[in-house]
Each structure stands twice: as C-alpha cells, then as structure tokens.
Amino acid sequence: MNMLTPVVKRGKHLKCDGLTPCTRCLSSNTECVYIASRRGYKGPRKTATAQNPHKRHASSSPPYAGPADSCPMLLGHTPVSIATPSVTGFNPAIVLPEQSPVSYANTPALSNVSVYRNPFAPAIDGNAMALATITAPPTQPPVATLAERCFDAFYHYFHGGHPFVLPKEYFLRQLKEGAGPNLNVVAAAMRYIGSLYVDCGPTRATYLDEAIRLCYLPSTAKDGFLIQALLLIIVGLDGSCEQERARELLADCERLAIEIDLNKREFATMHGHGNPVLEESWRRTWWDLYVCDGMIAGVHRVTNFLLFDISADVGLPCEEHQYLTGRIPPPSYMEDFDDQLFSGEDREFSSFTYRISAARNLGRFMRMPNMMFPDNEGIARVEALLTNWRMHLPESKRDDLNKSCQLDEMMFQAHFITHACTIMLHQPLSQLDSSPVQAVNSCAPHRPVQAGESFNAHTRHTITAACEISKMVTQAVPLLSHTHFFTCVVTLSSIVHLSKWALYFIEDEEDLRQQIRLNIGALNKLSKVWKAANTAWGQVKGVAQEIYREKKAHQITPAFWVGFTQEQMISSINADEGIMSEFNMLAQVTQAQ
C-alpha cells in the first residue's frame, strides 16, 4: 500500500485504497491530499499536557508561509502567521511567536500557539531541545593543592630571577617521563621556594626540611639536578636570614659542582641526552651558581667568591625568550665575549652574559688588596672595568627593559651588581661619615668611613651609584619579581643616603627625601616575602629616627642656624618632619598587616 494517506481519512480513521486520487475522494468530490505517516512520532500526548499545561513540546513543522485555506493539514485550527526571530543556532523544529529560543519567562503562552508539523523534521523531545539551546556552564577546575600552588608560585615569582631550572612545561614533561631520579629532589626545593610566596604556615618549614633531607640522602645521585636543588635552597635560606646555614650549603654545592665537572664545556653535552633545553639548563646552572656565589660574597662580605678562581669554559647562556620557547642557538663562550671589541665583531650577547660579566667585575674588585689612599692605582683599574662595562653595552641593554618594553631581570641584576660594586669601591674613600648608620648591619658588617671637610670624587661616585639604585625601585614591575639580593643592594644605597642626611645641611634635601622614601618603601614591600628585607627595613627606619632626633637636638641651639637663611631653615625642618612622618606611617601600615 502506498505510504501516503489522505489526511481527512486518517483523522476520521477511514480506510483508503491508496490510489491518487483515491476512490473515496472521487466519490465525495473532495480534494485528495496526502501527508507523511506519523508512525513513530513522539509528539505531545494529552496526558502530558493535562499534567503540565505549561510544558514546551517539540514541533516538527516549519514556519507556514502559504495561504490559510490551501491545505486541510491544520489539525482543525486556523493558521496564524509566525515571525521567526533571527537567532544564532536557531532550529526550525521549534517556532515561537516573538520569543527568543533561550527565554522562558512567558512559557505559559505556548499553550495557545498553533503548532505545525514538519514531515521532514526528526522527532525531538521538547526538554532536550530546550537544554540544547542553552550553553552549558564551564566546569569548575579542581582546587589546587598546597604543593601545586607552591610549584606554580615558584615559576610565577622566582624563576625569572634565577632561570636555571628547566622551563615549566619542559620540567613537567621530564618529570612525567622519569628523566632523572633527582628531579623529585629539585621539585621539593621548588616547593620550598614557592612556599615563601604563599601563606602556608608551618608547612614551609616542613618543605625546607624535606628538601634538605632529600639532598643529603646517601641514595641521592651526585648530578646536576642535585646542584640545582641545593642552589635553590641556598638562595631561599639567604633571603630568610639564615645566612650561616646558607653558606654551609654553598660550600657543599661548590665542591660538588667541581667534583662532577659542571664547570667543563663537555658536561652539558654528556648529560643533556641530546635535548638542547636540558643542555642549556646545565650551562645556566653553573653560571647562576657563579653569580650567586659572587653576590653572596659581595653583599655579606664574609665569603670570598670561591668560583671566581675556578677555571671554567662553559658555554654562555642564551636569551630568556629562547630558553623559555626551546629555540636554543649554538652557545657562545667567554673568549668570544672578551674578544669582541678587538675582533671587529659587532655582536650582541644575551642579558645573562652581561650579568655574568658584572659578577666577574665584582670578583676582580674583591681580589684587590685594601686600598688606603684615594690615588691608589687599583681603584682606577676597577673603575675602568666598571666604566667600560657601562660604555660598551649595546643600546638594547642600557636599561632594564627588553625589546617588548618588559622587565629584563638579567640586565636589572647586572646593573645593580655594577652600582653596588661602585659603592663598595668608592665609599671607604668618600667623606660620608658612616658612624651614624653603623646599626644597619643586616646584610654586611659596618665599615667605618671618616668624614671630610668637602666632597671628593669618591663621594660623588658613591652618591651617584646610590641614587641609581633608588631609581631602579621605580621600575613599573612588582618588586617581588626581583631576586632577593636586591634587598641588600637597596640597604647599601640606604646607608649612603642616611650618611648624607646626617650632615647638618644638605642643599638637595628634598631630593634626598625622595630617595630615602623609595628605599624604605621597597624594603617594606620585599619584607612580605623575605625576612632579610624585614630586618633591613627595621634597621634603616631605626637609624633614620636616631638621625632625626640628633638633628632636632642640634636645631634647638641658635648657633646651629648661623649662616642659614630663614628659607633654608624652614626647608630643612620641613624635610626632616616629612621623612619621619612617612616612616611612622609605613610602620603603622606594617603593624596593621
């Protein structure tokens, strides 16, 4: 039998012979119209409608566009004109008058809407269609564990300042593949460093103990990963006012590094397993150990920069963006860097290389004997090294921003190492009396400097370098993204500023006030993570208050103001009051936190 059946007969349950036109329509002189069979149709049922008259039902009919009386397929209703809204993802199986497919505010009105049946549309459940029109909300990611948060904090805050551990994606890949048993030791040290930036309570001490325990297990292999773990712990301890413990680990780390030939060119190739990123990581591990050894010796003045005297032919690190993306070029070497001026090559080295060069100049300064006289030839030689370093920097390396106007942390460190070296070279021969600031000793022991009647060239070098360090605080980047060694460099700058402020009268006192304000604010910010910064901040603030009291005592006597104009007197008093009010305000903020 033909599958098409007259709709009139189907509605009255009359039989049809299937002819076109059929015998019954011929005899009754009516139009014979056929529609598709509705067998299998899962449309609305009277029981469902009775139970929930507001429930939306699927329709299989398209919008009607023809005359109202051209077809008797309207199930006994007069057709109405329905406007189809233009909606992205609109399905013609549902047609609602002036209603967005995702709006359900007026669903009761659907019971009065004429529904058309489309014989070519599949049967769709109304509830399924309603859900399909709504974008499923994104699933919430699982809550990160404390260990995961510390791991992420390590890469977010710390890795850029000491970028020798593998980049995050490469490290996780190596860890998953089980590339080395000591990767877990490195991961433990990374968790400890990350915990310094995360509020984790007593767990921080647990992470530190676990990292040190793993480093000194008899079963722990002596390899480059162990050097990386020890170096991370050393930096963390040094910034946490555990300098003696950090020096002990530093001695072990240096001895082990030399024992496994980390300072040799072949180490990276032999232990890189053909992976250029891992080979670069080994080169960076040696050079970061070298730089950290120099900075610890320079700012604390206890150790003597052991690695400066160790022969090394390790390849120089590449640029940071090359390391992070895995696009590692063939390495250059220190002889290439030293010979560039005389070989006629006009080439630019990586920022990490200029950081190494700055640390090497620091080592050369530290190998000089004590200089008692301002005209000592050794002073001129070191100053020539520092000046040449600055003069021959490529244009792109003259400040602390890279080509994308983002902070270049490696150049940032290279510049502050050079400024700190300038202060240590010239301050002992300046006329800035250091006795008022002898209590500021959290980073290094006090070095006595005798006052003079007038400023000499060494004083000018010292003050200029201190001002340059304060200027570095103004970089539009979070201070916590810097290495913690910046704490002691800012403290060194503060000693110079406070020594100058202790003088009876300074012509540029307002400028000095801004320099001290910058340094105090930087130490206060760094103290949120580093205990060494908190100690330095307290000492600098205490010395400032003592200098202020001394100046106030002298200002009471009329003889103090002899030779001063009234304007100079008022300016000096206002500047002193302003500095102290800001110190007290910072103290109140810190206590509140």
Side-chain angles (χ1 to χ4, degrees), residues 84-407:
T84 304
S86 176
V87 180
T88 303
F90 175 74
N91 192 321
I94 282 189
V95 183
L96 305 179
E98 301 179 356
Q99 176 89 2
S100 171
V102 295
S103 175
Y104 299 97
N106 301 315
T107 51
L110 295 178
S111 59
N112 299 324
V113 177
S114 299
V115 182
Y116 296 81
R117 309 298 176 196
N118 184 354
F120 306 103
I124 302 176
D125 180 73
N127 293 331
M129 175 56 64
L131 292 175
T133 59
I134 302 176
T135 303
T139 57
Q140 292 293 330
V143 178
T145 64
L146 178 59
E148 292 170 339
R149 288 167 54 209
C150 292
F151 182 83
D152 291 339
F154 168 84
Y155 277 103
H156 183 77
Y157 292 105
F158 185 87
H159 186 258
H162 297 276
F164 57 89
V165 175
L166 285 168
K168 187 175 182 180
E169 293 75 12
Y170 292 91
F171 184 87
L172 292 174
R173 188 183 308 163
Q174 293 282 315
L175 192 64
K176 183 178 180 181
E177 296 173 356
N182 280 359
L183 274 176
N184 289 322
V185 183
V186 181
M190 292 162 67
R191 282 193 295 271
Y192 160 62
I193 293 295
S195 71
L196 296 170
Y197 300 89
V198 176
D199 185 10
C200 59
T203 307
R204 181 177 301 142
T206 303
Y207 283 158
L208 172 60
D209 294 341
E210 176 66 9
I212 295 178
R213 184 188 70 82
L214 291 175
C215 286
Y216 286 92
L217 279 177
S219 58
T220 300
K222 296 180 179 180
D223 61 6
F225 289 123
L226 178 56
I227 300 295
Q228 291 184 345
L230 285 171
L231 182 52
L232 291 176
I233 298 170
I234 290 165
V235 175
L237 288 174
D238 188 80
S240 301
C241 290
E242 297 190 51
Q243 296 166 7
E244 184 175 352
R245 195 176 184 186
R247 287 194 294 269
E248 294 174 357
L249 267 66
L250 178 61
D252 293 341
C253 186
E254 291 172 337
R255 183 174 59 252
L256 178 60
I258 297 170
E259 179 182 331
I260 67 174
D261 292 333
L262 186 64
N263 58 317
K264 301 294 179 63
R265 180 180 302 194
E266 297 79 16
F267 184 91
T269 304
M270 292 175 58
H271 300 275
H273 308 296
N275 185 337
V277 179
L278 185 56
E279 293 178 6
E280 174 71 10
S281 178
W282 295 140
R283 292 190 287 266
R284 286 167 170 261
T285 301
W286 166 259
W287 287 121
D288 213 276
L289 177 60
Y290 177 90
V291 172
C292 287
D293 186 24
M295 287 197 287
I296 289 174
V299 299
H300 299 315
R301 303 171 199 171
V302 177
T303 55
N304 62 353
F305 197 175
L306 173 68
L307 297 185
F308 177 78
D309 299 319
I310 300 299
S311 175
D313 58 355
V314 180
L316 296 172
C318 61
E319 292 286 11
E320 299 311 296
H321 68 88
Q322 295 172 324
Y323 183 47
L324 296 177
T325 59
R327 301 171 183 174
I328 312 297
S332 301
Y333 295 89
M334 191 56 73
E335 53 264 30
D336 301 324
F337 181 81
D338 291 334
D339 296 340
Q340 60 176 318
L341 291 178
F342 306 101
S343 63
E345 289 185 86
D346 185 16
R347 59 182 298 188
E348 183 176 305
F349 291 83
S350 69
S351 298
F352 203 135
T353 298
Y354 293 105
R355 175 182 180 235
I356 296 168
S357 177
R360 189 172 59 165
N361 287 339
L362 175 61
R364 289 167 174 166
F365 159 73
M366 295 184 68
R367 290 298 178 270
M368 293 183 62
N370 290 333
M371 294 161 287
M372 303 297 297
F373 304 102
D375 56 352
N376 191 298
E377 292 183 358
I379 298 176
R381 285 196 296 270
V382 175
E383 182 55 46
L385 288 172
L386 300 177
T387 302
N388 276 325
W389 184 89
R390 288 188 290 263
M391 286 179 58
H392 294 288
L393 284 175
E395 193 65 33
S396 62
K397 306 293 183 182
R398 292 187 181 275
D399 55 28
D400 310 322
L401 300 177
N402 59 23
K403 296 177 181 178
S404 302
C405 291
Q406 295 176 334
L407 173 71

Side-chain angles (χ1 to χ4, degrees), residues 401-431:
L401 300 177
N402 59 23
K403 296 177 181 178
S404 302
C405 291
Q406 295 176 334
L407 173 71
D408 187 339
E409 176 65 22
M410 295 296 95
M411 285 309 303
F412 184 90
Q413 294 184 27
H415 282 292
F416 78 56
I417 291 172
T418 303
H419 294 320
C421 190
T422 299
I423 292 177
M424 290 186 287
L425 175 66
H426 291 284
Q427 186 190 21
L429 302 172
S430 69
Q431 280 100 4

Side-chain angles (χ1 to χ4, degrees), residues 532-545:
N534 186 60
T535 303
W537 180 81
Q539 291 179 353
V540 170
K541 182 171 65 71
V543 167
Q545 291 171 335

